[in-house]
C-alpha cells in the first residue's frame, strides 16, 4: 500500500487540500487498533505463550443457501490471515471450514401446545444433499482461495463434528456443571436449548421446552423429549457412540466446540467470526469460566469487519428473507446479496475479494471496524483495472538484497522450508516475489527437496542461491531466518527464471 493510504483522517484532509490523492480508506482509531502495528499482531501473545506447531483458522458457515458478501468476506479473511501468519510466525497454517448443516430447514408449531419444532438441513436433505450444497456454493471458491494463498483447508460438517468423541466428551463434561453455565447459555430464562432429534423422523423441539436430562453418570447422559408425531422418547448420549444427534443452540455449540479444540496442545485454533459475534462471545466466555477452562485453553478469536445495511443493521440472510432488497439502497449490486451472481469467474471473484480484504488488513484501523455494503461497493470499484489480467501466482515476500538479485537474473535458486504451502508448487508454477512496493514475476524451473540446509548445499550451487556470499555465510543467514523447528520440516530448492522485467506495483494494499 502506498503511503497515502495509511494516513490518518487529519492527514487525509491535508493531502486533499494540497492536491495529493486522498486515501482510499479513512478509519477511526480504536483501543485495539491503537495497540497493534499490524492486524496479525493480535495473535502474537498467544503464539509466544503456546508455541504451537500449527495454526488453524476456524470459520463456520450455515449451509442454508447462497452466501452473501459478509459470509465470503469472513472466509477470505481466514485464508489471507493464514497466509500472513505462516510468513510472520514461520508456523504452518490451515483453514478449517465448519459447514453448519444443523441450520433449521423448516420450523413448525404444534397447534395444541404452540411448541416449535425444527428439522435441520442435514435431516431434511441427508449427507448427499449437504455435500451437494457445499459443492455448489463453496468448493470452487475455497479451491481458488487455497490456490491464491497457498493455504490448505479442510471441510468438516457440524454433523461429523458432533459425532466425534472429543465433542461428545466435552458436552457430557459441561452437563456436570449445567447449573453454573445455564444462565450464560440462556440468560433470559436459564433453559439451555439442547435438541436431540426424534430417532424416527429427525424433528426436534426448537427450544428444548420438554427435553429433560434424567440421568448423568460415567456411562453418559440420558434425555427424554417429546416428538410432535411420535410422542415421548428417550435417548442416551455416550462419548464413544456417534448417535444420538446433538443439535445444540448456537452459544452452546460454540462453547463445546471451543472447549474441544482448546485441548489440542499442538495446534492453535483461531476462531474467525463476523463482528456481530463480539457481543455474544462474552456469554461464551462466561460459560468457559464457569467450566474452569485453563487460560491456555481459552479460545483465540478474530472478529472480522461486520457488513452492514445502510440502516446500520447487519447484512443477514434472515433480514433479506423477511424484508427483501428493500432494506438496502437501490444501487447495491446484486452479487453482494447472492455472490453466485458475480459476473466474472470464480478466480476473478476471489482475486477481487483478496484485494479488498488485503486493503482492510493493511491497517488495524481498517480491519477492526464495520462497513456498509455501499461503502464496500465503493472500495471494490477502486480495485486495479488490470486485476483480472494479472496471472495467478504464488506470492512470496523477500528481503531487498535477495529481491535485487532475482530482478537482475543472477539469483536462480530460492530456498524455503518445505511447509504445506510449498507442496502446491510444481514445475511451471508462477511465483511473484514482493519487496515493499516492488514485485517480480518468475516461473519455477525445478523443485528439489532435502532434509536440511546442509544437505541442500551439498547438491545445490551456492552461487545460484546468492552469488555474493559463501556457503558458510549463506547457512548462517538462512538459520537466522528459519529456527531449527522450521528446518525440521525439510527444505525445498526452487529453480526460478524471470517471466517479466520487474515493475512497480499498482497502488493498492498488500499484506
Amino acid at each position: 500500500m502506498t503511503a497515502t493510504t495509511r494516513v490518518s483522517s487529519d492527514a487525509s484532509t491535508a493531502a486533499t487540500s494540497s492536491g495529493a490523492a486522498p486515501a482510499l480508506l479513512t478509519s477511526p482509531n480504536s483501543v485495539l487498533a491503537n495497540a497493534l502495528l499490524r492486524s496479525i499482531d493480535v495473535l502474537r501473545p498467544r503464539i509466544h505463550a503456546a508455541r504451537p506447531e500449527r495454526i488453524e483458522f476456524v470459520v463456520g458457515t450455515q449451509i442454508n443457501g447462497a452466501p452473501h458478501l459478509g459470509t465470503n468476506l469472513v472466509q477470505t479473511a481466514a485464508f489471507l490471515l493464514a497466509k500472513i501468519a505462516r510468513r510472520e510466525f514461520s508456523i504452518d497454517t490451515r483453514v478449517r471450514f465448519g459447514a453448519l448443516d444443523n441450520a433449521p430447514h423448516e420450523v413448525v408449531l404444534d397447534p395444541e401446545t404452540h411448541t416449535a419444532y425444527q428439522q435441520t438441513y442435514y435431516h431434511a436433505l441427508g449427507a448427499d444433499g449437504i455435500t451437494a450444497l457445499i459443492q455448489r456454493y463453496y468448493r470452487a471458491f475455497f479451491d481458488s482461495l487455497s490456490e491464491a494463498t497457498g493455504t490448505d483447508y479442510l471441510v468438516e460438517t457440524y454433523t461429523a463434528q458432533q459425532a466425534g468423541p472429543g465433542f461428545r466428551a466435552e458436552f457430557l463434561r459441561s452437563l456436570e456443571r449445567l447449573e453454573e453455565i445455564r444462565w450464560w447459555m440462556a440468560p433470559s430464562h436459564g433453559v439451555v436449548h439442547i435438541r436431540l432429534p426424534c430417532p424416527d423422523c429427525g424433528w426436534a423441539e426448537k427450544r428444548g421446552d420438554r427435553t429433560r436430562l434424567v440421568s448423568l453418570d460415567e456411562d453418559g447422559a440420558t434425555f427424554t423429549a417429546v416428538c410432535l408425531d411420535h410422542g415421548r422418547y428417550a435417548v442416551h448420549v455416550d462419548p464413544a457412540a456417534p448417535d444420538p444427534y446433538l443439535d445444540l443452540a448456537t452459544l452452546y455449540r460454540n462453547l463445546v466446540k471451543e472447549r474441544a479444540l482448546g485441548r489440542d496442545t499442538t495446534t492453535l485454533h483461531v476462531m474467525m467470526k463476523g463482528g456481530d459475534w463480539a457481543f455474544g462471545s462474552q456469554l461464551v466466555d462466561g460459560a468457559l469460566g464457569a467450566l474452569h477452562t485453563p487460560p491456555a485453553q481459552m479460545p483465540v478469536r478474530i472478529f472480522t469487519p461486520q457488513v452492514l445495511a445502510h440502516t446500520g443493521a447487519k447484512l443477514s440472510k434472515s433480514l433479506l428473507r423477511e424484508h427483501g432488497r428493500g432494506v438496502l439502497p437501490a444501487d447495491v449490486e446484486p452479487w453482494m446479496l447472492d455472490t453466485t451472481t458475480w459476473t466474472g469467474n470464480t478466480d476473478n471473484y476471489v482475486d477481487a475479494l483478496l484485494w479488498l480484504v488485503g486493503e482492510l488488513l493493511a491497517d488495524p484501523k481498517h480491519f477492526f471496524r464495520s462497513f456498509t455494503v455501499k461503502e464496500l461497493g465503493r472500495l471494490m470499484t477502486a480495485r486495479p483495472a488490470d486485476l483480472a489480467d494479472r496471472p495467478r501466482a504464488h506470492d512470496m515476500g523477500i528481503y531487498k538484497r535477495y529481491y535485487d538479485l532475482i530482478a537482475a537474473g543472477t539469483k536462480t535458486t530460492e530456498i524455503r522450508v518445505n511447509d504445506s504451502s510449498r507442496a502446491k508448487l510444481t514445475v511451471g508454477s508462477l511465483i511473484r516475489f514482493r519487496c515493499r512496493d516492488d514485485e517480480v514475476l518468475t516461473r519455477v524451473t525445478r523443485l528439489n527437496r532435502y532434509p536440511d540446509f546442509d544437505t541442500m548445499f551439498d547438491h545445490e550451487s551456492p552461487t545460484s542461491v546468492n552469488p555474493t556470499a559463501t556457503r558458510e555465510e549463506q547457512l548462517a543467514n538462512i538459520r537466522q531466518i528459519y529456527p531449527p523447528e522450521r528446518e525440521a520440516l525439510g527444505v525445498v530448492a526452487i529453480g526460478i527464471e524471470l517471466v517479466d522485467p520487474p515493475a512497480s506495483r499498482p497502488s493498492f494494499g498488500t499484506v
Side-chain angles (χ1 to χ4, degrees):
M1 176 174 284
T2 58
T4 54
T5 58
R6 292 186 185 273
V7 296
S8 67
S9 252
D10 293 339
S12 178
T13 303
T16 304
S17 63
S18 66
L24 177 61
L25 269 166
T26 302
S27 299
N29 208 349
S30 64
V31 172
L32 179 58
N34 197 47
L36 304 174
L37 295 177
R38 292 159 297 181
S39 300
I40 195 66
D41 291 339
V42 75
L43 298 182
R44 195 177 299 277
R46 180 59 72 86
I47 289 171
H48 277 283
R51 304 288 182 181
E53 297 176 11
R54 179 198 294 269
I55 307 172
E56 195 168 78
F57 292 80
V58 183
V59 55
T61 300
Q62 287 195 338
I63 303 301
N64 60 351
H68 58 59
L69 173 59
T71 300
N72 284 168
L73 190 148
V74 178
Q75 295 159 346
T76 302
F79 277 89
L80 195 46
L81 281 166
K83 172 185 173 181
I84 299 166
R86 188 169 58 246
R87 185 178 68 199
E88 179 67 25
F89 303 115
S90 294
I91 299 174
D92 207 7
T93 61
R94 182 172 66 179
V95 170
R96 178 192 292 255
F97 174 59
L100 304 180
D101 55 348
N102 67 323
H105 182 269
E106 188 177 358
V107 178
V108 299
L109 289 178
D110 182 333
E112 294 184 4
T113 65
H114 300 288
T115 300
Y117 285 83
Q118 74 175 43
Q119 188 179 47
T120 71
Y121 265 75
Y122 171 76
H123 289 95
L125 304 183
D128 290 343
I130 295 301
T131 299
L133 278 179
I134 296 171
Q135 191 74 19
R136 177 180 179 185
Y137 292 122
Y138 296 106
R139 184 64 71 176
F141 178 66
F142 283 167
D143 286 345
S144 184
L145 277 170
S146 178
E147 178 190 47
T149 61
T151 302
D152 285 334
Y153 76 94
L154 63 86
V155 175
E156 179 185 51
T157 63
Y158 172 76
T159 294
Q161 183 184 66
Q162 63 83 35
F167 188 95
R168 298 173 90 80
E170 284 301 336
F171 169 68
L172 291 172
R173 290 189 188 104
S174 72
L175 293 178
E176 296 172 4
R177 295 184 176 274
L178 189 58
E179 188 61 32
E180 288 99 317
I181 69 171
R182 69 187 185 96
W183 289 107
W184 292 107
M185 296 290 91
S188 293
H189 41 66
V191 179
V192 182
H193 296 173
I194 300 173
R195 292 183 287 266
L196 299 127
C198 172
D200 293 321
C201 64
W203 285 82
E205 296 173 306
K206 181 174 179 61
R207 299 178 181 85
D209 307 76
R210 293 176 288 182
T211 299
R212 299 288 182 268
L213 172 62
V214 295
S215 68
L216 176 65
D217 54 34
E218 63 274 8
D219 295 323
T222 300
F223 291 85
T224 60
V226 179
C227 175
L228 178 61
D229 293 323
H230 298 98
R232 186 170 297 277
Y233 60 93
V235 293
H236 183 75
V237 181
D238 181 330
D243 295 316
Y245 196 97
L246 300 177
D247 181 13
L248 306 182
T250 303
L251 291 175
Y252 201 179
R253 180 184 70 237
N254 277 268
L255 171 69
V256 175
K257 176 187 73 174
E258 291 177 352
R259 284 269 297 182
L261 293 178
R263 289 186 178 274
D264 185 347
T265 59
T266 62
T267 299
L268 177 66
H269 294 92
V270 179
M271 309 300 146
M272 298 292 301
K273 294 184 176 296
D276 58 307
W277 256 99
F279 306 108
S281 290
Q282 62 182 320
L283 294 175
V284 179
D285 286 344
L288 287 167
L291 293 175
H292 303 297
T293 306
Q297 294 179 19
M298 290 293 286
V300 180
R301 306 188 187 101
I302 292 182
F303 300 107
T304 61
Q306 190 171 183
V307 182
L308 308 176
H310 71 296
T311 61
K314 171 196 170 188
L315 182 68
S316 68
K317 293 178 183 178
S318 58
L319 191 69
L320 294 171
R321 280 195 299 266
E322 293 170 10
H323 301 283
R325 286 204 52 170
V327 299
L328 297 170
D331 58 352
V332 170
E333 298 177 57
W335 69 266
M336 296 181 177
L337 311 181
D338 178 352
T339 60
T340 63
T341 62
W342 176 268
T343 55
N345 60 30
T346 301
D347 286 350
N348 173 247
Y349 176 57
V350 165
D351 290 343
L353 275 184
L354 285 170
W355 174 85
L356 174 65
V357 177
E359 282 287 341
L360 305 185
L361 281 168
D363 191 314
K365 294 195 299 292
H366 302 332
F367 189 73
F368 297 108
R369 54 160 287 190
S370 299
F371 292 87
T372 64
V373 180
K374 191 170 183 177
E375 174 66 1
L376 289 177
R378 181 190 71 81
L379 296 175
M380 287 289 272
T381 61
R383 68 186 186 272
D386 69 339
L387 190 62
D389 301 324
R390 294 166 65 82
R392 272 289 179 91
H394 298 264
D395 277 337
M396 292 188 186
I398 195 166
Y399 292 122
K400 174 67 172 170
R401 60 184 181 274
Y402 302 127
Y403 175 88
D404 289 341
L405 294 173
I406 293 175
T410 57
K411 176 176 168 60
T412 57
T413 303
E414 172 63 8
I415 305 304
R416 300 280 164 144
V417 295
N418 193 32
D419 60 22
S420 62
S421 63
R422 313 307 169 203
K424 298 180 181 299
L425 289 174
T426 60
V427 173
S429 293
L430 297 180
I431 299 176
R432 184 177 289 111
F433 290 97
R434 299 186 185 275
C435 178
R436 303 189 189 99
D437 291 334
D438 295 318
E439 64 181 32
V440 61
L441 191 64
T442 65
R443 181 181 291 108
V444 176
T445 60
R446 61 187 178 83
L447 291 163
N448 296 324
R449 291 181 166 83
Y450 305 99
D452 52 51
F453 294 122
D454 288 295
T455 306
M456 182 272 297
F457 273 121
D458 288 341
H459 295 83
E460 301 287 338
S461 168
T463 57
S464 73
V465 179
N466 183 354
T468 68
T470 66
R471 168 179 170 147
E472 290 70 25
E473 289 171 336
Q474 292 188 55
L475 276 171
N477 290 334
I478 289 173
R479 284 180 169 138
Q480 284 183 341
I481 298 171
Y482 294 114
E485 61 269 21
R486 292 289 287 166
E487 184 177 354
L489 295 174
V491 177
V492 58
I494 308 166
I496 53 174
E497 63 181 6
L498 291 173
V499 173
D500 293 324
S504 293
R505 292 172 52 199
S507 297
F508 60 89
T510 59
V511 289

